[in-house]
Structure formats: structure tokens, C-alpha cells
Amino acid sequence: MLKPSYKEAKKRTKDKINVLRDEYVIPSSVKNLGMGKKYYIKTYGCQMNEHDSEVIAAILEDMKYTKADDYEDANLIILNTCAIRENAHNKTFGMLGRIKHLKQTKRNLLVGLAGCMSQEESVVDEILSKYKWMDFVFGTHNIHKLPEILEAHENSKKLEVNVWSNEGNVIEGLPAKRDSNYKAWVNIMYGCDKFCTYCIVPYTRGKQRSRRPDDIISEVRELINKGYKEVTLLGQNVNAYGKDFDDLDYKMENLLEDVAKTGIERVRFVTSHPWDFTDKMIDVIAKYDNICNYIHLPVQSGSSRILKLMGRRYTKESYLELYNKIRNKVKNCSITTDIIVGFPGETKEDFEETLDLVKICKFDSAFTFIYSPRVGTPAAMMKDDVTKEEKEKRLYELNDVINKYALKHNEKYVGKTVLVLAEKVSEKDDSMLAGYTDTMKLVNVKADEKYLGQIIKVKITDAKTWSLDGEIDE
Ligand code: SAH
Ligand code: SF4
Ligand code: F3S
């Protein structure tokens, strides 16, 4: 058994980061483990986790499992979890409750926990004491070891816990079964060293490790050959890409430029921490048409006092300076953000500062959250005297302003013709296709399925807060 430890996860060593290319092997005893069996993966959390699930799916398919449409039809269920807020936890434990019932009637069902919650010491302790009926737990650092963990479980028939507290390496050569044939997630880095005081990610994802540029570019070229139109470069703090190379002076602006030069039709990247956003990056984004005019720039708070307590390393003023620079240099750029309300000690005045910043920036849209204490983080030890009701009131008020601007931005599109990557049949109406503009506006368009996977011209006919409607403009 290998349990995670908060103390170990917090450590940042100067050890060299190795790129390991031969770590993924399927032991012969489990090569056909999934023959005639089905798997179901439930994914929570961010794009990073979505992509990890694509890797887990491919590993299971390498072991001959096939995909089940519903968890009730599966022989193996994996919950790929998120630890960012309390409600992510609750959802997972709720799902585990339902699965427990299923397991009582389906003796051979295997159930595993993966993702960021697996990296939490307190979660693993809870699994070991109250969820002994589960079969395996693995973490974010050893996804490639899944076949060996399943082999160990085959031999022991007991709960196998195998979670590494930290990983200093980059694993290459992993397969991925991508959810889309048109747009793809591409990891450019793992981990995060920012340690914002409220955030669990540096503990669950380990130290920052950038993938080598050649490996990223080859992956993008391979995707182009397969017909992909769009890549999203993924990392918790992509602007810090390359800062951990000790033998190479190659940063995010270099990578963005080289990815743009592959000729892929659309390049996106998430997430950008304002601290590492350089002028050179802005210039590259402005220069290449295939780098989308869309930047997600989490601000978290408009109060410099709270930003300091959060450990964000910028002030309201320096954020605004960066924001205006981007708006001025990247024409028609859409900018979205993340905001936390009710951070420990946030006063009415602090919250007013946030509202003020939102009114100045007029974001295209925003993800807003009530602060949720995470065990093991510094903010969880801070005195939090704002009531739940007050926090909810602030969130409500903030969302009201955010939504007003979101609608205003969308209304500007009405009557215009935009390019949309038609990526799926609309969930609400199967005569409609859904896709995004390069500015990341969701568009529903009346169009035949033959347009799927194409970048089509769409005339916008109507604007809502969260989406646009349109018709094909031929
Ligand atoms: N790496 C990204 C953020 C990833 S987490 C960045 O630095 O911008 C996504 C968002 O979740 C964060 O931007 C933050 O707004 C929110 N978040 C993170 N920890 C949180 C917590 N403890 N409580 C509430 N929201 C949180
Ligand atoms: Fe969390 Fe901050 Fe790292 Fe983002 S930059 S993942 S908020 S610690
Ligand atoms: Fe959640 Fe882990 Fe992503 S905590 S937001 S799944 S990095």
C-alpha cells in the first residue's frame, strides 16, 4: 500500500526532471483482462482531468475493455475526481453511494478512485476506513501504472491503494482515446508551484514539469494529420511553461509561436496566471491568426489586500494594467476570468473592490465560486468570519453583474458573421449543431450534420447570456 502524504506533497526538490518514455507497459497476465467487459469513467473537474480520462480510457482499451454508455452496464468503474472545492468531494462520495448498491448485486464489478481526491491524505484515510469495498485507488502521478495496479488487485482481490505523493518526472508515450475528432487537449506541463493559499492543486498535481517542445510539436503534427482543427494547450499555469528547463531557454511565447507555425487552424491555451504573462506572449498572440482571440485570465479578487492573502503576487492595479495591454494589443479579444468570493476575512469593502474591477473590465464571462477551505492549505487555517448567507449574497450580486456584461458582449454579435467549429449535434435540438467561435462563444446553428468537424461561417441571429444562435451563411 502506498498512501499520499500532505507533508511529502508540499515538498519541492531541485531534482532533475527526467522524461521517461518506456514506463507504460501492460503485464502479460492482464493483457486481456477486459475481454468481453466494459468500463465506465466518470470525470469531475478541469480540462486536465478530462484529458487524463482520455488516457485512462485508452489504457483500458489496450487491455481489451470496451466503453459502456452507462455505469450500470459496466464491469469496471473509475471515478476520476476533483478536489478543488467541497462540492466536488460531495459529488464523488454521492456517486460512490450509488455504486455501492450496484456492487452488492454485481459481485465482479471493479470500482476505482483516481484523480485529485486520490492525492489527498484525508480522502484516502476515509476510503480505507469506510469504503473498504472498493477495489483500487491510484493518483494523478501514476496513471500509466494502472495495468500493474489492476494486476496487483487480480492477485490480492483486496483494496489496492497506490498513490505517489510526488512525481518529479514527465511520462511520455501514453495513449489517449480522445472524446472529439476535431479538437484535442494537449498537455504542455504538469503540476503547479504557485501555491496560492486557498488552492489544493500544487499538492494534488505536484511540482511544475514542462513537456519538451519537440514532444508537444510532434503531438500537434500528429493531430493535424488525423484531421484535428483545434488544440488547447493545457497546464495549471501555462504562462510559466519552460521555466523549469535548466538546459533550454524556451518559454511560452516560443511554444505558442511554434505551435501556431504548425498550421493547425486553431490554438487555445488554459490557464494563464496573470503573474507570468509577458509582453512577448501578447505580441505572439496578436501576430498569429490561428491563435484564438480568447484569454482566460483568472483574477480571483479585486481587492489588493485579499490578493496578497491569496498569494497571487499581483495587485488590482497591476492586473488592470495587464488587462488593458491585452485588450489594446489583441484586437477583438474576449477575456474571461475566475473569481472567489468570501475568502477568509473578505470585508464588504474588499468585495466592493471586486465589483469595481468587474465593472471596469466588463469580462466576456466568468466562473465565480464561494471560497471553500481545503485541508492542508494555508488559507484553511485563516480566520473566516464571513457568514455563509453573506457569501451567498455576494456571489449572487456578483453573478448579476457578470451576466449583464456577458449578455452585452453577446448582443454585439447579432447580425455579424463569425467562424464556428461545428463540433457536435446540439443537446437540445438534433437539427442544430453546436460549436465555438475563436472568441469562445458557444453558438447553436441550424445546420446539417455533414458540417460536423468543419469551420463554418455563421450569421448570428440571436444572443443569450450563455450562447448565441445563428444560421449558416453561405
Ligand atoms: N490554475 C488556475 C486555476 C485552477 S482552479 C489559475 O491559477 O488560474 C480553477 C478555479 O477554481 C480557480 O481559478 C479559483 O477561482 C477556483 N478555486 C480554486 N481553489 C478554490 C477554493 N479553495 N475555493 C473556491 N474556489 C477555488
Ligand atoms: Fe492553484 Fe494558484 Fe496553481 Fe492556479 S496558480 S493551480 S490557483 S496554486
Ligand atoms: Fe480539480 Fe484537480 Fe483539476 S483539483 S480542477 S481536477 S487539477
Side-chain angles (χ1 to χ4, degrees):
M1 178 162 65
L2 212 51
K3 273 176 50 179
S5 128
Y6 285 122
K7 205 166 141 241
E8 283 300 310
K10 207 183 286 183
K11 283 188 187 156
R12 289 296 183 268
T13 62
K14 289 259 174 277
D15 294 352
K16 185 172 160 33
I17 297 162
N18 295 305
V19 180
L20 307 178
R21 297 180 189 278
D22 304 307
E23 290 295 292
Y24 170 56
V25 265
I26 302 184
S28 57
S29 70
V30 288
K31 265 206 159 90
N32 296 316
L33 187 70
M35 194 72 92
K37 295 183 191 147
K38 292 189 169 174
Y39 71 90
Y40 183 86
I41 304 170
K42 175 84 187 153
T43 311
Y44 303 88
C46 62
Q47 294 97 332
M48 202 91 51
N49 247 21
E50 281 181 37
H51 184 52
D52 285 350
S53 287
E54 294 181 335
V55 173
I56 296 171
I59 294 175
L60 294 173
E61 295 198 4
D62 279 353
M63 297 167 77
K64 313 283 191 301
Y65 278 96
T66 54
K67 189 176 169 194
D69 292 327
D70 192 341
Y71 78 96
E72 292 181 333
D73 299 329
N75 308 88
L76 181 149
I77 300 173
I78 293 179
L79 303 188
N80 192 12
T81 60
C82 171
I84 204 86
R85 282 170 292 273
E86 188 61 34
N87 62 354
H89 265 233
N90 297 345
K91 278 189 207 155
T92 293
F93 283 114
M95 183 73 183
L96 279 178
R98 290 197 287 282
I99 295 172
K100 186 180 177 187
H101 282 292
L102 188 63
K103 181 121 173 150
Q104 279 157 354
T105 56
K106 219 172 168 179
R107 282 271 152 223
N108 292 328
L109 174 67
L110 295 184
V111 183
L113 194 80
C116 287
M117 277 173 70
S118 298
Q119 295 292 145
E120 288 184 283
E121 194 177 326
S122 52
V123 168
V124 172
D125 285 340
E126 193 167 347
I127 300 281
L128 285 167
S129 65
K130 298 194 202 134
Y131 295 80
K132 286 203 196 79
W133 55 268
M134 289 185 70
D135 299 286
F136 58 98
V137 179
F138 64 103
T140 59
H141 300 307
N142 61 344
I143 291 174
H144 57 291
K145 292 288 180 194
L146 176 58
E148 285 157 64
I149 294 164
L150 289 174
E151 183 190 38
H153 180 269
E154 279 304 289
N155 295 331
S156 72
K157 300 287 178 200
K158 288 214 183 83
L159 171 58
E160 285 291 331
V161 174
N162 191 331
V163 182
W164 305 353
S165 290
N166 34 44
E167 165 61 277
N169 297 320
V170 170
I171 313 290
E172 289 294 340
L174 295 179
K177 183 176 184 284
R178 299 189 187 269
D179 289 335
S180 163
N181 293 324
Y182 322 121
K183 61 173 198 179
W185 311 115
V186 175
N187 280 324
I188 63 168
M189 64 198 299
Y190 304 98
C192 179
D193 291 342
K194 280 284 180 281
F195 286 97
C196 302
T197 56
Y198 51 82
C199 183
I200 194 79
V201 172
Y203 309 82
T204 64
R205 294 273 167 176
K207 79 169 178 182
Q208 170 171 330
R209 288 100 70 205
S210 299
R211 283 179 77 195
R212 304 299 292 187
D214 291 353
D215 289 322
I216 298 168
I217 301 295
S218 335
E219 186 172 340
V220 174
R221 286 198 201 288
E222 217 175 281
L223 289 163
I224 297 175
N225 290 339
K226 287 184 182 154
Y228 279 83
K229 299 278 194 313
E230 181 178 306
V231 291
T232 302
L233 308 178
L234 286 185
Q236 286 301 343
N237 173 16
V238 288
N239 306 9
Y241 173 80
K243 286 192 163 182
D244 50 307
F245 292 145
D246 51 14
D247 58 339
L248 199 62
D249 182 15
Y250 189 94
K251 301 286 181 329
M252 186 57 177
E253 57 261 21
N254 307 107
L255 181 70
L256 267 180
E257 182 148 34
D258 284 343
V259 173
K261 281 184 184 160
T262 62
I264 182 116
E265 293 195 48
R266 284 180 168 186
V267 183
R268 298 188 191 280
F269 54 95
V270 277
T271 298
S272 288
H273 187 299
W275 171 255
D276 296 298
F277 219 117
T278 62
D279 288 356
K280 283 185 185 158
M281 263 184 75
I282 302 176
D283 292 340
V284 172
I285 297 165
K287 180 171 165 195
Y288 289 90
D289 282 346
N290 58 347
I291 301 181
C292 291
N293 290 343
Y294 165 66
I295 294 167
H296 185 58
L297 195 66
V299 65
Q300 313 300 0
S301 168
S303 153
S304 297
R305 191 183 76 85
I306 294 292
L307 286 169
K308 189 147 192 233
L309 290 174
M310 287 176 161
R312 289 292 285 186
R313 311 178 198 200
Y314 54 83
T315 58
K316 181 184 187 186
E317 290 71 31
S318 63
Y319 181 90
L320 286 173
E321 199 182 311
L322 172 66
Y323 184 90
N324 289 328
K325 213 183 303 177
I326 296 173
R327 278 260 188 249
N328 291 336
K329 283 199 177 171
V330 186
K331 293 294 161 225
N332 305 319
C333 189
S334 106
I335 304 182
T336 57
T337 199
D338 291 348
I339 296 171
I340 298 176
V341 301
F343 186 81
E346 184 189 70
T347 61
K348 277 209 164 62
E349 291 73 34
D350 291 317
F351 177 63
E352 288 297 328
E353 294 277 350
T354 299
L355 284 181
D356 181 57
L357 178 124
V358 168
K359 285 174 190 163
I360 298 172
C361 294
K362 305 182 176 61
F363 293 105
D364 280 76
S365 92
F367 296 106
T368 54
F369 313 99
I370 291 183
Y371 166 73
S372 171
R374 310 315 298 135
V375 180
T377 62
M381 324 271 262
M382 295 179 192
K383 191 162 173 266
D384 184 1
D385 50 11
V386 187
T387 62
K388 190 166 164 275
E389 291 68 37
E390 177 62 25
K391 289 180 183 180
E392 280 167 0
K393 208 178 114 223
R394 289 181 193 172
L395 183 72
Y396 192 82
E397 197 178 339
L398 176 64
N399 284 344
D400 226 31
V401 183
I402 296 278
N403 293 348
K404 193 181 79 192
Y405 290 121
L407 181 62
K408 272 197 179 157
H409 277 285
N410 282 352
E411 280 169 347
K412 282 190 282 184
Y413 281 74
V414 176
K416 290 199 177 133
T417 296
V418 291
L419 294 172
V420 174
L421 169 56
E423 60 184 61
K424 59 182 179 201
V425 175
S426 163
E427 274 155 27
K428 285 184 216 132
D429 177 347
D430 60 13
S431 69
M432 309 272 274
L433 299 182
Y436 291 86
T437 63
D438 83 324
T439 52
M440 206 65 174
K441 303 285 178 194
L442 174 62
V443 181
N444 289 300
V445 50
K446 222 170 187 64
D448 192 274
E449 270 191 46
K450 71 176 184 203
Y451 291 109
L452 269 181
Q454 293 183 30
I455 295 182
I456 50 178
K457 273 192 188 167
V458 177
K459 184 158 185 196
I460 301 301
T461 52
D462 195 15
K464 306 184 177 109
T465 305
W466 306 114
S467 65
L468 301 167
D469 289 337
E471 52 199 30
I472 283 225
D473 186 2
E474 274 162 321

